[in-house]
Amino acid sequence: MLHLSQAALGESKKSDNALMNVKIYDQKLAIGTLSVDKNPHIQFDLVFDKEFKLSHTSKTTSVFFTGYKVEQPFEEDGMDLDSEDEDEELNVPVVKENGKSDGEKQKSQEKAVP
């Protein structure tokens, strides 16, 4: 998956507009217009999980896009991050008000840290 965060115009000596487009699923969609005077950069919150192409209409300047790529594990991998060590029993000593142990035996040889 790719998260598109921002687009910005490169340096330009002319006042020019750049219509930005994304082509996905054989459709070309407008995602914004950059202008030297009013909107030299635009923030997005667009997420793409399929192949796509970005383009712009400016003949005099470049448009720079920023974002980040996210790798997500598939559910078919058998990874279950929530069930990790759920069945493991915790050995926590019970301490009375006077600071002495309740007399319950601990299952491991580890000592409790105050």
Side-chain angles (χ1 to χ4, degrees), residues 62-73:
S62 299
V63 174
F64 299 96
F65 294 91
T66 59
Y68 55 92
K69 191 173 185 178
V70 178
E71 297 286 333
Q72 290 189 337

Side-chain angles (χ1 to χ4, degrees), residues 46-59:
L46 301 174
V47 178
F48 298 98
D49 62 350
K50 303 288 183 197
E51 190 173 315
F52 65 96
K53 289 184 180 183
L54 295 170
S55 61
H56 65 87
T57 59
S58 178
K59 303 276 190 232

Side-chain angles (χ1 to χ4, degrees), residues 21-38:
N21 300 298
V22 62
K23 185 175 181 183
I24 188 165
Y25 299 118
D26 295 327
Q27 290 183 322
K28 191 173 184 178
L29 306 168
I31 58 174
T33 302
L34 297 170
S35 68
V36 173
D37 300 327
K38 294 182 182 182

Side-chain angles (χ1 to χ4, degrees), residues 35-46:
S35 68
V36 173
D37 300 327
K38 294 182 182 182
N39 296 325
H41 58 86
I42 295 176
Q43 291 185 329
F44 299 112
D45 191 17
L46 301 174

